[in-house]
């Protein structure tokens, strides 16, 4: 009886190559497998020297061109194939009639390309089937199949005793056979399903193909168990007899002496070739361990693992695994720190030089350095920089590392779905590695780097676990001093690491993870800030990237403003850098082709290089029509303005909403209309008009989805303007949420919205009184031309926003004594 060590040591591998391993098949798994439908047509793979049983995983080497073609096609599809053994193993290319009629449906788990050019495929048996008729023969066999009806055994005492005997006999064979690993017994003891146990032993026992095929074709489980018991009995008798003979004639040179002799020869050969012998390698590791400054627990653990290495055969597979593990322990910076530079004035200069603006973030960093300078042992806080793309969140980490004099590492979290990416794999698995946290610390070479967790809001999760949950321990200052990586198997202190996370939005971050971080908003830049960033950073960077000097190209402030206003629309400066790069490339082309050009690029040169302006500076639309109001919105790339249009038509009081509005915006319109109905008299509107006119509210750019509460007061203003036919004041915009009582509530994204208002030439802005604090955080120079109205009630909004005069309209909707007939 022979067993494949692959099956026992690692159990059953799952389909995905990056994941861990299946447990052995349970009764529930087998029932689920039996309930799967058998396809009508299957691609048939002939097997020459083995038989596949349901539930069993085996590796097969595919050499025939037909078989390789079949495997590759199936692997691209549903991975399901039919596996049938040949009647005659000597035939190189069997046809349909030369195959056995009972086979097994197989699922392709993994394909491996071997160094010798062959393809090894790991497959798992599913259900048995009957071959019916051949459908095709080229490029490989396809045939119709029908399910194989199995007869379940009655679970009586006799059958249970038979299964118990099979288990005991298999365990005896494992103990007596030196070639079978002890893990085989663990696998057999943990198999729950009787049917799978019999299939498992049938697949691995020492029997020829004919006997195994006969077992596969037995429908009755009791009969099959009886046949397996007969084979095991014969194998056990032969094995006991063989051991008796070997004991009598055993030679003096036993296995240990033989291994010692071969190892000594191997050492001599390696030394002659100039390589390191295993002893020299172990001595090198021991000397490196002596020089390490690590805690007693780590030192003792290293010594124990090194002792284990000395007892391992260098030719064994575990030897290289142990070597890699010990080298990782040596490479990790246990208690190795870089010295922090506490010159706060220098740190301020570094931050100011690398990043223009971002005063709030810089202030927080300087506060952290100040406390660390005074206390020396403060646990590092977890900062989370939240803001739109391109505002410098990631590059800020480099500046912090430079200011502190610390090492800098960055870990991109976008798209990570496997928990093992954070915590690592247990080193017992083939190809196991530490998690990316430990790998990054090793790369940094210090236990106190500045560690950027980039795009933390893009972390996903699937059946392999939730990486966000694994990050909870990493980002908790109370827990990360004992961070446990499955590969390292020792606690590693992360409390000295300065973690800085970046995100575009907080909505996708797990609440428990969000609670562990200090949120710092990184808002978008004003036009004035972008001009300075372009002068100090972007233009010099693009000159150097394109091989130009300072005298070759220059951009004045008015030209940069044209680039910002006419060719970009963003909170950050990423698109601006691309446009500057295009301008610099245009100049580089003129220099290379010896053409005349202006070293100081003007506005005409910009349009010549970049084409006509992409965006209009003045997006504001006039208020010549009642019912049109300008609102302010926040988007992922910054602020923007949007228009709310309300129109009336004779009808029965229906409300129509268009413009790809989300649920929150639809609710805002409903609340606004309900409030207007309830307070019609306050706005001099006849209540009967709501039943005589249909209301249509539209937000232009209908293809763009829109949602959020910020348009509440804008919706109500548009409805009041439409029903009273009073125009909205020119160059006015507003943002705020409303309640059914007419209260105006504060909203977010104020800085981005104000910048959008300035771009659109807005002169007056209506905000909730609670948003006054957000305006105070904006530099006064940037908002000098804007007038702000702070309100708490919708009546204040209407009084400020609407003009007294009405639009000239043949249908006057306001209530007058001589127009009651219209209202009636």
């Amino acid at each position: 009886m022979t067993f494949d060590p692959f099956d026992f040591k690692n159990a059953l591998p799952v389909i995905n190559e990056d994941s861990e391993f299946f447990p052995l098949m349970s009764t529930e798994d087998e029932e689920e497998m039996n309930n799967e439908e058998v396809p009508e047509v299957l691609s048939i793979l002939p097997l020459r020297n083995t038989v596949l049983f349901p539930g069993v995983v085996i590796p097969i080497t595919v050499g025939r061109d037909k078989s390789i073609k079949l495997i590759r096609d199936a692997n691209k599809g549903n991975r399901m194939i039919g596996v049938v053994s040949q009647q005659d193993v000597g035939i190189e290319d069997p046809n349909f009639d030369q195959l056995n009629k009972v086979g097994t449906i197989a699922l392709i788990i993994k394909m491996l390309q071997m160094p010798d050019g062959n393809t090894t495929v790991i497959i798992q048996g599913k259900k048995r089937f009957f071959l019916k008729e051949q459908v095709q023969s080229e490029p490989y066999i396809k045939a119709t199949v029908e399910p194989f009806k199995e007869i379940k055994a009655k679970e009586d005492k006799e059958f249970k005793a038979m299964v118990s005997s099979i288990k005991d006999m298999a365990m005896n064979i494992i103990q007596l056979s030196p070639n079978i690993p002890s893990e085989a017994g663990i696998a057999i003891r943990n198999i729950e399903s009787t049917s799978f146990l019999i299939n498992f032993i049938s697949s691995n026992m020492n029997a020829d193909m004919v006997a195994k095929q006969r077992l596969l074709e037995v429908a009755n489980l009791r009969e099959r168990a009886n046949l397996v018991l007969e084979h095991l009995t014969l194998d056990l008798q032969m094995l006991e007899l063989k051991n008796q003979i070997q004991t009598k004639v055993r030679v003096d040179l036993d296995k240990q002496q033989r291994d010692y002799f071969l190892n000594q020869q191997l050492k001599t050969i390696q030394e002659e070739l100039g390589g390191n012998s295993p002893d020299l390698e172990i001595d090198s590791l021991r000397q490196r361990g002596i020089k390490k400054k690590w805690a007693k627990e780590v030192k003792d653990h290293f010594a124990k693992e090194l002792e284990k290495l000395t007892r391992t055969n260098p030719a064994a597979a575990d030897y290289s695994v142990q070597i890699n593990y010990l080298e990782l322990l040596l490479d990790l910076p246990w208690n190795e720190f870089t010295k922090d530079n506490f010159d706060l004035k220098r740190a301020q200069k570094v931050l100011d030089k690398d990043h223009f603006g971002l005063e709030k973030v810089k202030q927080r960093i300087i506060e952290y350095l100040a406390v660390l300078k005074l206390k020396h042992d403060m646990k590092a806080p977890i900062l989370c920089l939240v803001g739109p793309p391109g505002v410098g969140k990631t590059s800020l980490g480099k500046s912090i590392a430079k200011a502190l004099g610390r090492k800098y590492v960055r870990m991109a979290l976008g798209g990570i779905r496997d928990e093992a990416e954070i915590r690592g794999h247990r080193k017992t698995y083939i190809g196991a590695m530490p998690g990316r946290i430990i790998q990054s610390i090793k790369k940094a070479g210090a236990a106190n780097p500045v560690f950027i967790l980039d795009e933390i809001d893009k972390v996903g999760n699937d059946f392999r676990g939730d990486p966000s949950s694994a990050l909870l321990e990493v980002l908790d200052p109370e827990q990360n001093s004992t961070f446990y990586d499955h590969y390292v198997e020792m606690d590693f202190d992360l409390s000295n690491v300065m973690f800085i996370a970046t995100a575009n939005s907080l909505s996708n971050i797990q609440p428990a993870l969000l609670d562990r971080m200090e949120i710092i908003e990184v808002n978008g830049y004003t036009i004035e800030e972008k001009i300075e960033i372009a002068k100090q950073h972007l233009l010099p960077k693009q000159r150097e990237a394109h091989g130009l000097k300072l005298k070759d190209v220059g951009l004045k402030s008015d030209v940069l403003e044209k680039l910002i206003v006419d060719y970009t629309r963003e909170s950050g400066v990423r698109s601006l850098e691309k446009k500057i790069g295009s301008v610099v490339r245009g100049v580089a082309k003129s220099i290379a082709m010896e053409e005349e050009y202006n070293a100081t690029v003007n506005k005409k040169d910009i349009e010549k290089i970049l084409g006509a302006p992409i965006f209009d500076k003045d997006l504001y639309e006039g208020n010549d029509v009642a019912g049109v109001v300008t609102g302010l919105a926040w988007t992922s790339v910054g602020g923007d303005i949007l228009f709310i249009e309300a129109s009336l038509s004779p009808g029965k009081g229906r409300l129509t909403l268009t413009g790809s509005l989300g649920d929150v915006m639809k609710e805002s319109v409903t609340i606004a209309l309900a409030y207007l109905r309830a307070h019609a008299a306050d706005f001099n509107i006849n209540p009967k008009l709501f039943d005589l006119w249909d209301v249509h509210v539209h937000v232009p750019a209908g293809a763009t989805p829109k949602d959020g509460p910020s348009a509440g007061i804008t919706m109500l203003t548009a409805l009041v303007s439409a029903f009273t036919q009073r125009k909205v004041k020119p160059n006015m915009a507003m943002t705020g949420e409303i309640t059914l009582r007419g209260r105006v509530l504060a909203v977010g994204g104020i800085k981005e919205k104000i910048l959008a208002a300035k771009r659109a030439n807005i002169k007056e802005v209506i905000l909730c009184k609670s948003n006054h604090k957000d305006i105070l955080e904006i530099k006064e120079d940037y908002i000098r031309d804007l007038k702000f109205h702070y309100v708490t009630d919708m009546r204040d909004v209407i009084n400020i926003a609407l003009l007294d005069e009405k639009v000239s309209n043949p249908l006057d909707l306001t209530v007058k004594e001589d127009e009651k007939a219209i209202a009636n």
Side-chain angles (χ1 to χ4, degrees), residues 419-425 434-435 469-470 473 483-487:
E419 181 188 349
E421 290 277 352
I422 307 297
R423 288 189 175 279
H425 300 83
S469 300
E473 182 185 4
F483 174 69
Y484 185 85
D485 186 277
H486 290 149
Y487 184 86

Side-chain angles (χ1 to χ4, degrees), residues 163-438:
V163 173
S164 179
S165 298
I166 290 173
K167 266 193 176 183
D168 294 342
M169 204 161 290
M171 296 299 296
N172 289 336
I173 291 174
I174 292 170
Q175 291 175 359
L176 289 173
S177 177
N179 299 321
I180 301 175
S182 59
E183 288 86 351
I186 299 172
I188 290 177
R189 279 195 299 268
N190 284 280
I191 293 176
E192 300 173 358
S193 168
T194 303
S195 176
F196 178 58
L197 174 69
I198 294 170
N199 288 340
F200 191 77
I201 295 176
S202 300
S203 177
N204 291 284
M205 69 183 183
N206 186 20
D208 57 19
M209 272 190 62
V210 176
K212 289 185 178 183
Q213 180 65 30
R214 187 157 66 93
L215 284 170
L216 185 70
E217 295 175 358
V218 175
N220 190 300
L221 183 60
R222 184 185 291 268
E223 293 181 13
R224 202 179 333 139
N226 194 40
L227 287 173
V228 170
L229 189 58
E230 291 177 8
H231 280 287
L232 293 180
T233 302
L234 182 60
D235 281 353
L236 184 59
Q237 291 173 353
M238 292 294 293
L239 196 56
E240 289 174 345
L241 182 60
K242 181 180 177 181
N243 286 341
Q244 289 175 3
I245 296 172
Q246 287 181 344
T247 302
K248 293 178 181 178
V249 296
R250 180 176 296 160
V251 295
D252 293 333
L253 189 64
D254 61 12
K255 187 177 184 300
Q256 288 184 349
Q257 292 173 317
R258 179 174 176 273
D259 287 349
Y260 176 79
F261 177 71
L262 292 175
N263 282 330
Q264 289 300 112
Q265 286 185 324
L266 183 62
K267 289 179 186 178
T268 305
I269 293 170
Q270 287 176 332
E271 290 171 358
E272 289 293 328
L273 292 174
N276 291 329
S277 68
D279 286 346
L280 291 176
E281 197 168 24
I282 292 171
D283 289 340
S284 174
L285 294 173
R286 185 177 287 111
Q287 292 302 318
R288 288 176 61 190
I290 293 172
K291 297 177 183 178
K292 292 289 288 186
K293 299 177 182 178
W294 44 24
K296 184 179 184 302
E297 295 82 3
V298 183
K299 183 178 180 181
D300 293 344
H301 180 72
F302 175 80
K304 180 181 177 182
E305 294 295 323
L306 187 63
E307 181 64 24
K308 187 189 295 183
L309 180 68
T310 60
R311 298 194 304 267
T312 305
N313 187 343
D318 290 343
Y319 187 83
S320 60
V321 173
Q322 192 71 2
I323 285 283
N324 293 335
Y325 176 67
L326 290 170
E327 287 182 343
L328 173 72
L329 292 180
L330 290 168
D331 291 338
L332 281 176
W334 305 89
N335 299 324
E336 296 175 19
F337 307 99
T338 54
K339 187 176 181 181
D340 288 331
N341 188 336
F342 292 120
D343 187 347
L344 301 188
K345 292 182 179 180
R346 174 187 171 275
Q348 185 73 58
K349 288 180 181 178
V350 170
L351 294 173
D352 290 339
K353 180 182 177 182
D354 292 348
H355 290 81
F356 187 86
L358 303 179
E359 302 301 332
K360 188 177 179 181
V361 184
K362 294 176 186 175
Q363 180 184 353
R364 179 65 188 85
I365 299 303
I366 296 300
E367 289 173 359
Y368 165 74
L369 293 179
V371 175
L372 189 60
K373 179 179 181 180
L374 296 175
K375 196 175 181 185
H376 296 290
D377 62 347
M378 188 184 83
K379 290 185 177 180
I382 313 300
L383 306 180
C384 182
L385 306 180
V386 180
V391 295
K393 300 185 297 297
T394 304
S395 61
L396 192 65
K398 288 186 179 180
S399 300
I400 295 171
K402 188 193 302 183
L404 280 169
R406 290 191 177 193
K407 300 288 186 180
Y408 168 81
V409 285
R410 172 181 166 272
M411 176 178 168
L413 294 173
I416 287 183
R417 296 180 177 273
D418 190 353
E419 181 188 349
E421 290 277 352
I422 307 297
R423 288 189 175 279
H425 300 83
R426 291 176 179 83
K427 69 176 186 290
T428 52
Y429 296 131
I430 296 173
M433 294 175 63
R436 293 178 63 182
I437 298 290
I438 292 296

Side-chain angles (χ1 to χ4, degrees), residues 438-505:
I438 292 296
Q439 290 183 44
S440 299
I441 296 294
K442 172 189 169 185
K443 179 182 176 183
N448 62 337
V450 174
F451 199 126
I452 303 297
L453 296 168
D454 215 4
E455 307 288 358
I456 199 169
D457 57 331
K458 307 298 191 303
V459 175
N461 62 78
D462 61 11
F463 64 93
R464 289 168 290 187
D466 183 4
S468 295
S469 300
L471 283 171
L472 293 177
E473 182 185 4
V474 177
L475 297 183
D476 192 338
E478 299 298 325
Q479 298 180 30
N480 62 11
S481 59
T482 55
F483 174 69
Y484 185 85
D485 186 277
H486 290 149
Y487 184 86
V488 178
E489 295 181 343
M490 291 287 293
D491 291 339
F492 192 89
D493 186 0
L494 297 178
S495 61
N496 296 291
V497 179
M498 184 176 183
F499 286 103
I500 300 176
T502 71
N504 296 133
S505 172

Side-chain angles (χ1 to χ4, degrees), residues 529-542:
E529 287 175 329
K530 289 183 179 180
I531 291 173
E532 291 301 318
I533 291 170
K535 285 182 178 180
Q536 297 178 23
H537 302 284
L538 305 183
L539 184 56
K541 180 181 176 182
Q542 291 299 321

Side-chain angles (χ1 to χ4, degrees), residues 780-815:
E780 190 176 345
D781 295 342
Y782 299 154
I783 56 176
R784 187 177 295 123
D785 299 333
L786 290 175
K787 181 179 180 181
F788 295 97
H789 301 277
Y790 300 104
V791 298
T792 57
D793 191 88
M794 267 312 302
R795 294 180 183 85
D796 300 332
V797 177
I798 300 302
N799 292 335
I800 295 169
L802 297 188
L803 299 171
D804 292 333
E805 61 180 281
K806 297 184 297 182
V807 178
S808 177
N809 193 315
L811 262 182
D812 193 346
L813 300 178
T814 55
V815 180

